[in-house]
Amino acid sequence: MNVEMQCCGLILDLLLIYFFLRHETVGLYSERLFRMSLVVNTVCIVLDILSVFAIIMTDILPAFVVALVGKLYLVSLVAASFMGFLYTSSGVQHLRDSETFNKIIKIIFGIGALFVLLLPISFFRDGRVVYSYGLSAVATYIFAPFFIIWALVLTFSHGKYMSKSRRNAIRAWMSLEILAATLQFIFPKLLLVGFGSSIGLFILYCELESPEAFLDRTTGIFSFDTMVMYLRQLFSSNRKFTAIMICTEDEWKMDNEQESRILLEMSEFLHSFPGAKLFRSTGHDFMMIYATEDEAKDQIESVINLDVIKARFQQAFDGTMVIDARFLYIPDPRIATDFDEYFEICRYYKDNMERNEISRVLDEAAGQNIREQREIKAEIVKALEENRIEVHFQPIYSFREQMFVSAEALARIVNSEGKLIMPGLFIPVAEEYGLIDQIGERVFEITCRTFRNDRLQEKGIHYLEVNLSVAQCEDRHLSDIYHGIMKREQIDPTSINLEITESSTLHYRNILLENMNLLSQMGCSFSLDDFGTGESNLNYIVDMPVQIVKFDRSMVQDYFRSDRAKIVMRATVDMIKAIGLKIVAEGVETKEQLDAMEELGVDYIQGYYFSKPLQEKDFLRFIETHNRVA
Ligand code: C2E
Ligand code: MG
Ligand code: MG
């Protein structure tokens, strides 16, 4: 009997099934279709062997049994190529989601199977060589190659939707099928098709579908790439699920071995909750995802308990290391419209949790917030392109000189309808999306130009104050860029005072110091902004080469809250003055506040009492009027 080839194919298929089933699978479409292809191909080979037996036993078996087995084999052959086609087209989302497309291919397959079953079949038998022929076999040779060739064509016509390795693996699989079918067509005694298909599936397994390919090497849980594919699939199929994101510090201060041990320990713990799939997200983060459709929800949630997870992370890993972890709980995926937005929301809240916040529930409002931010981002980008960044100037009054000696440059965006967008709204978004450098530079350019063009120096303004954001201070090129702008705008660096704010990272502090030293050497001076808010402490004044400290508006208001606050503020002022620094009080709105600040020994006043931030023209008029009178 010529069944050697089929037996080889069968062994190969059984091995593949064994290896495939040994691991947990994620449940991706391609995974499911691969498993079905494997099953169909195995059935096809078994039927092939059975039909060879049946043909040999034509004398004993009733003719219709032989014909039925032979035809079932041929149908399974068409089914195997149909599976190959389905596998290929499932990689193209719009084809996979198209109901019409799926209906059409199923109808074509149905017609093919019907032809094969209904048309007559004959068998050839000569010693150990047997094969089938006749119209039923002809139908098989039309429909099976039809699906194979169509799949092959898809890898070219829709290749851009598939990864290179997917394209190549499918091409190899389909080419092997065609080669085997052609050889079998020319030499009907060589029953190669089943074996060819098995080798094709083997290539597919090695290249794409080996469960190991979906795993993270360090932890053995599903990798980040798998998570992306899985989440995309959940979104495209509109499935409801809950996710818990476990976020830890980006950098762990330990050697690689210990890092791997801890990651492994964490993943083992998190993997111990049945019903959830565990993924390694970016860096040292994990993502637990579980379906929350229908009644399964309560059952799963009775097992997966965020408090239990939190409690575990309060204890040490690897014996001694307590890892700082935060948790995002996302009960409903509908906070986002697609995967990209979903991941953007997770990342944003991961990066923007309050210092003491351990966990946060992300709901509809969280998603809405991100969408609004994205709109603001688009507005910033357009404003930068269309030159709609404006700078307003808020005069700063000097008690000693009894006139306005400087002003703070404050950014505004004029939106397409001519309305002003305030920095409180767009500066944090610009910082988040890496646009703050461009805004900062634009504001700096306009400020320098205004100082020169309006001859502010002659009008009593010694310097203008410009805000620097933390991200700008962390940029090693900052001093070069700002030097370049001052040179281009022909302005003396002593006319510029840069406002810095405190940030807790050491990395920031080092580069900031470098930038400050370089800019100071050119002649720029510095102010410490936001003093008195949560971010500031006295150490900063000691370490940083600043000349001015700017009291935040909240501090000025606090002064009037209690006698204790007064004492603290007085002591603070004394300390700062003893070091030799000047003080600006911001947010002074009333005469009472003004007098109190003067009495305290504050040097400068910035606030609505004198003026709100003004457009360039109005600012110029203000200075010309008030400083002349003074
Ligand atoms: P800031 O640097 O502390 O600026 C002072 C803010 O307090 C300004 O708000 C100013 O209009 C406001 N202010 C001043 N006096 C009073 C007052 O008497 N009462 C009240 N209620 N508010 C007063 P603005 O212009 O909305 O700016 C907010 C923040 O946005 C600034 O705080 C600064 O941190 C940031 N910002 C503004 N422009 C820029 C910029 O060009 N670059 C960067 N990085 N940040 C900027
Ligand atoms: Mg400021
Ligand atoms: Mg301030």
Side-chain angles (χ1 to χ4, degrees):
M1 281 185 298
N2 51 345
V3 292
E4 296 88 347
M5 285 296 171
Q6 291 90 321
C7 289
C8 293
L10 189 60
I11 294 170
L12 194 54
D13 275 7
L14 292 176
L15 277 174
L16 284 180
I17 291 175
Y18 167 73
F19 284 119
F20 193 74
L21 294 183
R22 247 177 15 145
H23 291 276
E24 180 191 7
T25 47
V26 206
L28 297 172
Y29 288 122
S30 72
E31 223 174 44
R32 243 180 285 157
L33 289 168
F34 177 74
R35 192 168 45 219
M36 275 164 70
S37 298
L38 211 50
V39 171
V40 171
N41 194 54
T42 312
V43 170
C44 176
I45 294 177
V46 170
L47 284 169
D48 193 0
I49 296 171
L50 286 181
S51 73
V52 171
F53 274 108
I55 298 168
I56 286 174
M57 294 192 283
T58 358
D59 306 337
I60 319 164
L61 291 172
F64 85 90
V65 173
V66 181
L68 184 69
V69 176
K71 283 183 175 184
L72 282 180
Y73 160 60
L74 293 181
V75 169
S76 72
L77 218 54
V78 178
S81 13
F82 177 62
M83 285 312 304
F85 177 78
L86 269 189
Y87 181 90
T88 311
S89 63
S90 79
V92 183
Q93 198 190 334
H94 63 265
L95 293 182
R96 190 178 65 221
D97 293 345
S98 157
E99 271 183 36
T100 329
F101 176 79
N102 284 305
K103 221 180 258 171
I104 291 173
I105 55 172
K106 277 180 196 151
I107 290 174
I108 298 176
F109 169 67
I111 294 174
L114 218 60
F115 270 122
V116 175
L117 283 175
L118 296 180
L119 289 171
I121 189 167
S122 312
F123 300 103
F124 173 85
R125 186 177 135 195
D126 178 17
R128 69 185 292 278
V129 174
V130 299
Y131 60 86
S132 55
Y133 64 96
L135 283 178
S136 176
V138 171
T140 311
Y141 274 111
I142 291 172
F143 283 94
F146 170 77
F147 284 120
I148 296 172
I149 291 169
W150 196 2
L152 208 53
V153 169
L154 271 188
T155 66
F156 290 98
S157 63
H158 291 70
K160 63 171 186 255
Y161 299 105
M162 305 170 194
S163 68
K164 192 170 164 220
S165 53
R166 191 179 169 89
R167 266 191 327 252
N168 289 343
I170 293 175
R171 281 174 194 163
W173 178 21
M174 294 300 133
S175 307
L176 272 168
E177 299 242 8
I178 292 175
L179 184 70
T182 314
L183 285 174
Q184 188 167 328
F185 186 72
I186 301 170
F187 310 105
K189 296 165 203 166
L190 280 177
L191 302 183
L192 272 175
V193 167
F195 185 49
S197 215
S198 301
I199 296 185
L201 286 169
F202 177 70
I203 292 175
L204 208 62
Y205 177 87
C206 296
E207 281 284 325
L208 303 174
E209 297 298 342
S210 149
E212 278 92 353
F214 295 102
L215 303 182
D216 169 62
R217 283 191 188 279
T218 313
T219 54
I221 58 172
F222 294 125
S223 65
F224 174 72
D225 289 344
T226 312
M227 180 181 91
V228 173
M229 287 191 277
Y230 184 61
L231 282 174
R232 280 194 199 287
Q233 179 173 313
L234 290 178
F235 269 100
S236 75
S237 57
N238 247 327
R239 295 280 302 279
K240 230 184 130 215
F241 62 91
T242 296
I244 298 176
M245 192 164 169
I246 298 105
C247 316
T248 69
E249 289 288 323
D250 285 339
E251 281 172 38
W252 289 358
K253 288 175 192 70
M254 60 184 78
D255 60 53
N256 286 349
E257 253 179 53
Q258 189 179 27
E259 183 177 329
S260 304
R261 276 201 306 274
I262 294 180
L263 280 171
L264 213 76
E265 206 179 322
M266 280 182 182
S267 52
E268 268 167 23
F269 164 71
L270 293 169
H271 208 189
S272 63
F273 296 94
K277 294 190 193 301
L278 181 65
F279 299 85
R280 170 110 185 250
S281 186
T282 46
H284 296 126
D285 299 348
F286 293 91
M287 188 90 142
M288 277 171 96
I289 299 176
Y290 50 94
T292 37
E293 272 156 353
D294 48 60
E295 60 295 341
K297 182 176 165 34
D298 293 342
Q299 206 183 343
I300 291 180
E301 294 202 326
S302 65
V303 184
I304 302 169
N305 186 328
L306 190 54
D307 290 333
V308 175
I309 300 175
K310 273 194 218 164
R312 173 63 190 94
F313 275 81
Q314 272 161 11
Q315 291 162 19
F317 285 93
D318 196 36
T320 52
M321 299 293 291
V322 177
I323 304 286
D324 193 16
R326 286 137 177 261
F327 305 87
L328 296 177
Y329 177 67
I330 313 138
D332 193 327
R334 281 169 295 195
I335 59 168
T337 46
D338 57 23
F339 163 75
D340 294 299
E341 194 176 273
Y342 186 79
F343 203 60
E344 187 185 345
I345 296 172
C346 294
R347 219 176 24 211
Y348 176 82
Y349 284 99
K350 177 200 155 181
D351 293 341
N352 288 286
M353 272 168 98
E354 299 295 328
R355 229 179 238 176
N356 304 324
E357 213 176 358
I358 302 273
S359 63
R360 181 184 282 210
V361 179
L362 300 188
D363 54 12
E364 185 46 42
Q368 190 53 35
N369 180 25
I370 296 290
R371 280 185 283 279
E372 278 165 17
Q373 290 217 21
R374 233 193 279 135
E375 275 168 31
I376 296 172
K377 178 198 162 194
E379 188 66 58
I380 297 174
V381 171
K382 248 176 62 202
L384 280 165
E385 277 168 15
E386 296 169 6
N387 256 328
R388 285 193 276 104
I389 308 269
E390 232 178 50
V391 179
H392 288 198
F393 298 90
Q394 186 174 29
I396 297 175
Y397 179 79
S398 158
F399 282 122
R400 192 174 63 82
E401 295 174 63
Q402 305 231 330
M403 60 178 217
F404 296 90
V405 292
S406 69
E408 177 170 5
L410 294 155
R412 271 99 182 92
I413 285 179
V414 188
N415 76 5
S416 25
E417 287 141 31
K419 284 206 188 102
L420 284 189
I421 309 179
M422 298 305 277
L425 210 60
F426 68 82
I427 293 284
V429 180
E431 281 172 344
E432 175 68 23
Y433 289 97
L435 293 163
I436 190 67
D437 289 11
Q438 290 181 60
I439 294 187
E441 284 163 32
R442 191 68 60 86
V443 169
F444 190 60
E445 240 167 42
I446 299 173
T447 306
C448 292
R449 203 166 301 157
T450 306
F451 190 83
R452 187 172 53 97
N453 288 353
D454 293 345
R455 300 169 182 275
L456 291 180
Q457 186 126 42
E458 295 164 21
K459 290 162 187 156
I461 301 294
H462 305 326
Y463 53 84
L464 289 176
E465 299 187 4
V466 190
N467 291 284
L468 283 178
S469 82
V470 170
Q472 286 180 285
C473 298
E474 271 179 341
D475 180 358
R476 289 188 191 279
H477 305 294
L478 175 81
S479 54
D480 273 353
I481 296 170
Y482 274 41
H483 179 231
I485 295 175
M486 288 186 284
K487 226 171 135 188
R488 208 167 49 237
E489 299 299 334
Q490 297 167 2
I491 175 173
D492 184 349
T494 53
S495 322
I496 295 296
N497 177 286
L498 295 164
E499 295 188 4
I500 59 155
T501 47
E502 194 186 333
S503 159
S504 49
T505 65
L506 201 66
H507 169 73
Y508 166 72
R509 198 180 260 229
N510 291 340
I511 303 178
L512 169 66
L513 257 178
E514 239 171 74
N515 277 323
M516 287 178 83
N517 286 333
L518 287 167
L519 286 159
S520 294
Q521 280 161 22
M522 292 172 208
C524 294
S525 58
F526 286 89
S527 297
L528 179 66
D529 203 357
D530 297 342
F531 190 85
T533 63
E535 288 292 333
S536 61
N537 68 57
L538 287 166
N539 275 348
Y540 231 69
I541 301 178
V542 178
D543 295 339
M544 293 292 162
V546 292
Q547 289 77 36
I548 298 173
V549 176
K550 296 191 80 170
F551 283 1
D552 191 71
R553 175 165 167 255
S554 57
M555 202 165 161
V556 175
Q557 288 169 338
D558 277 357
Y559 177 80
F560 293 92
R561 215 177 48 193
S562 69
D563 287 341
R564 274 186 174 206
K566 279 195 180 92
I567 295 167
V568 172
M569 195 141 155
R570 196 173 296 279
T572 311
V573 169
D574 288 346
M575 235 175 342
I576 293 171
K577 302 213 72 155
I579 304 173
L581 307 182
K582 302 275 187 220
I583 298 171
V584 177
E586 279 189 302
V588 170
E589 294 183 351
T590 62
K591 181 77 170 72
E592 187 194 13
Q593 288 172 339
L594 180 81
D595 293 343
M597 292 304 119
E598 184 173 23
E599 195 262 325
L600 254 182
V602 163
D603 304 275
Y604 307 106
I605 295 293
Q606 175 183 352
Y608 292 178
Y609 176 76
F610 286 119
S611 168
K612 288 193 170 184
L614 301 168
Q615 270 188 326
E616 187 192 335
K617 269 200 320 290
D618 298 333
F619 170 67
L620 191 61
R621 200 173 311 129
F622 180 94
I623 291 300
E624 282 170 350
T625 320
H626 290 81
N627 276 1
R628 199 177 43 220
V629 172

